[in-house]
């Protein structure tokens, strides 16, 4: 979500929002596995507490991004995972991995894309004097923060905002937008078209 050690770090709350959503009887999603690239993080505990399998694939133990991604891929296959939500995951994924899982990888970013790509998006919004920001859930394309947009939620930027207060407001928006996007994809209401653009199943958009 945000850099560790900063007051902005809010461990595993997006994951928790997805877990709560998938628990609802009306949900089309089933969370079968949580993978973390960092040992000991709260997200692993949240998974275990919810009765979800949890695995660590520590990027520091791999000599290359390709080997790290190949291991993630192997674990996803082992659990017959159909789609992946990146929540607080801060690693750039390699081209071959993104290609193989094209249309199956969702990421959440703390701005209204295509504004404020990259790290520190909340601070970028403040520095730009934006009056509105928010969050975006998008399909992962090889170019970071550039994939097709699935869902967005806007929040106001207040004159008195600090990076911390704006980040907290955006985080609340994330906890709404990510479950919505997960449902849209899990239910088949939305998918990624062959041209890299979003496809809505007939009148599903609302
Ligand atoms: N990979 C691709 N496309 C995407 N990963 C994420 C989204 C996304 C993706 O749209 N190909 C910034 C990460 C940005 C960064 O430089 N990360 C470092 C590691 C930093 C750390 O471990 O804390 C790196 O070397 O990868 C997920 C969000 C990525 C956020």
């Amino acid at each position: 979500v945000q850099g560790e050690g900063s007051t902005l770090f809010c461990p595993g709350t997006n994951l928790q929002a997805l877990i709560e959503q998938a628990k609802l009887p009306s949900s089309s999603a089933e969370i079968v596995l949580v993978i973390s690239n960092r040992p000991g993080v709260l997200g692993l505990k949240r998974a275990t507490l919810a009765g979800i399998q949890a695995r660590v694939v520590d990027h520091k133990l791999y000599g290359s991004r390709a080997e790290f991604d190949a291991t993630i891929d192997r674990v996803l296959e082992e659990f017959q995972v159909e789609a992946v939500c990146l929540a607080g995951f801060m690693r750039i994924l390699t081209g071959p991995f993104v290609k193989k899982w094209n249309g199956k990888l969702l990421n959440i970013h703390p701005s209204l894309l295509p504004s404020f790509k990259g790290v520190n998006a909340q601070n970028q919004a403040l520095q730009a004097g934006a009056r509105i920001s928010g969050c975006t859930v998008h399909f992962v394309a090889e170019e970071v923060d550039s994939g097709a947009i699935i869902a967005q939620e806007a929040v106001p930027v207040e004159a008195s905002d600090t990076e911390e207060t704006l980040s907290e407001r955006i985080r609340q928006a994330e906890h709404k937008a990510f479950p919505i996007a997960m449902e849209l994809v899990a239910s088949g209401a939305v998918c990624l078209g062959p041209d890299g653009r979003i496809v809505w199943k007939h009148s599903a958009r609302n």
Side-chain angles (χ1 to χ4, degrees), residues 47-62:
T48 306
L49 283 172
I52 300 166
Q53 294 270 356
R55 294 287 183 273
V56 174
V57 181
D58 184 347
H59 63 276
K60 290 175 183 157
L61 302 181
Y62 297 87

Side-chain angles (χ1 to χ4, degrees), residues 1-3 89-90 92 107-125 133-134 136 138 143-147 163 170 174:
V1 176
Q2 278 293 323
F89 179 77
M90 291 304 289
I92 296 170
N107 182 51
I108 188 151
H109 180 79
S111 75
L112 295 176
L113 290 172
S115 288
F116 313 129
K117 295 177 179 178
V119 293
N120 257 312
Q122 301 94 331
N123 211 30
Q124 289 183 51
S133 191
T136 302
H138 62 91
E143 191 185 332
V144 177
D145 300 334
S146 298
E163 190 178 1
I170 291 175
E174 291 180 350

Side-chain angles (χ1 to χ4, degrees), residues 149-163:
I149 292 168
I150 303 164
Q152 291 182 307
E153 175 94 11
V155 304
V157 181
E158 307 290 357
S160 59
D161 267 338
T162 62
E163 190 178 1

Side-chain angles (χ1 to χ4, degrees), residues 32-36 43-45 47-48 52-56 79:
V32 295
L33 173 66
V34 169
I35 303 178
S36 173
L44 293 163
K45 192 168 178 196
T48 306
I52 300 166
Q53 294 270 356
R55 294 287 183 273
V56 174
F79 283 82

Side-chain angles (χ1 to χ4, degrees), residues 173-187:
E174 291 180 350
H175 298 164
K176 293 190 223 166
F178 214 166
I180 287 171
M182 177 177 73
E183 286 302 333
L184 287 172
V185 174
S187 67

